[in-house]
Amino acid sequence: MTEPSATVTESSAPAPMTATTTPIPESLRENRPFPPGTKIRMETRRLSFLYGKNQALYDITLAIPEKAVTAFIGPSGCGKSTFLRCLNRMNDIIPDTRVDGEVLLDEKNIYGPGTDVVDLRRRVGMVFQKSNPFPKSIFENVAYGLKINGLCRRSELPERVELALRRSALWDEVKDRLHTSALGLSGGQQQRLCIARALAVEPEVVLMDEPASALDPIATQKIEELIYELKRDYTIAIVTHNMQQAARVSQYTFFMLGRLIEHDRTDKIFTNPGQKITEDYITGRFG
Ligand SMILES: Nc1ncnc2c1ncn2[C@@H]1O[C@H](COP(=O)(O)OP(=O)(O)O)[C@@H](O)[C@H]1O
Ligand SMILES: [Mg+2]
């Protein structure tokens, strides 16, 4: 792959970018495989990302439609996690990195001045590959974000915790043990607990980075069913290295190799990809 040369500057934080976003040029409006009228919840415009001198993302322009699942696929090291972390500025905490371009949430650049990063991460929640419950009770895990952000009254906590646990399809399994340690749950339950924790603060977008890759097939199936359900209320972006999983849970798929290779409806990508390299990847010829 030939990459454009990267501009590298000394910086330990993402470079500040313009707050006002210019109308999207026609040339960037390609790759929008959505039905007319689809509402776009997030988009990136010419997004590039560097770790020191190593460029991980090149000029990615992508729209993520609301209330749908967009899957990100590509071989290990192609920048999937980096891309996802750009969407809620989780990369900010990594020193000596640089972001170029824009990331829009509801048409506002999240890298512009005045962004409240804590609020951004509430609106754009994240679930990681390895479930990471706190060594606290099930209840406290789900209530955590509500408490630290002061998002509801103490008296409302039980109701909000129950709602999040119901949405993450965990309530029936834990309702009699809410005040026992979360670490006593199985791996699959812990991951659904982390999803409940992310949902409790009422995010608009949920980013999931290989959320089922450490789980057994039955726990994986539960997570997949859950993701499928969640798209009724949330905008979901999921990284997966499992092609069948991408085909099962997502409506749109984005195939990347540092840059955007192909973005289309999932059924199209998996049955009739537009590019030879996409076909080679999804049929297991590399990666
Ligand atoms: N914290 C980091 N510091 C430096 N380089 C990183 C870091 N995280 C990822 N990279 C590099 O960025 C590239 C993309 O990585 P990543 O986004 O993790 O890919 P993927 O999730 O597709 O496997 C890789 O070359 C990787 O080595
Ligand atoms: Mg990754």
Side-chain angles (χ1 to χ4, degrees), residues 185-203:
L185 297 172
S186 72
Q189 289 172 327
Q190 289 192 11
Q191 191 60 301
R192 278 179 284 139
L193 181 69
C194 293
I195 294 173
R197 191 173 63 191
L199 298 182
V201 295
E202 305 284 342

Side-chain angles (χ1 to χ4, degrees), residues 56-218:
L57 301 178
Y58 293 84
D59 220 16
I60 294 179
T61 296
L62 179 75
I64 300 176
E66 78 162 7
K67 296 188 179 172
V69 180
T70 300
F72 294 81
I73 62 169
S76 183
C78 77
K80 303 181 296 297
S81 296
T82 301
F83 184 82
L84 219 57
R85 290 195 301 259
C86 283
L87 301 181
N88 70 350
R89 294 187 50 172
M90 287 291 278
N91 288 322
D92 283 19
I93 54 179
I94 305 172
D96 194 24
T97 56
R98 181 190 159 112
V99 187
D100 281 312
E102 294 179 322
V103 177
L104 277 58
L105 171 62
D106 292 336
E107 300 180 4
K108 193 164 176 293
N109 184 14
I110 65 170
Y111 287 91
T115 299
D116 175 344
V117 178
V118 173
D119 189 55
L120 169 67
R121 292 185 190 141
R122 181 194 66 72
R123 296 176 65 194
V124 185
M126 195 153 196
V127 174
F128 301 89
Q129 175 173 3
K130 205 176 162 312
S131 63
N132 53 352
F134 306 129
K136 291 172 179 280
S137 71
I138 293 166
F139 184 94
E140 289 299 327
N141 264 275
V142 182
Y144 182 81
L146 294 167
K147 282 187 180 175
I148 59 160
N149 292 304
L151 292 175
C152 71
R153 285 200 299 271
R154 248 199 129 68
S155 58
E156 289 171 54
L157 279 174
E159 195 182 316
R160 299 282 292 261
V161 168
E162 177 175 339
L163 183 64
L165 286 168
R166 283 190 187 280
R167 282 185 177 156
S168 62
L170 191 57
W171 175 250
D172 288 339
E173 291 163 60
V174 301
K175 61 176 190 278
D176 299 324
R177 53 194 281 207
L178 290 178
H179 299 285
T180 64
S181 172
L183 303 181
L185 297 172
S186 72
Q189 289 172 327
Q190 289 192 11
Q191 191 60 301
R192 278 179 284 139
L193 181 69
C194 293
I195 294 173
R197 191 173 63 191
L199 298 182
V201 295
E202 305 284 342
E204 293 152 52
V205 181
V206 183
L207 311 174
M208 300 186 175
D209 196 346
E210 306 203 26
S213 63
L215 302 177
D216 64 58
I218 291 175

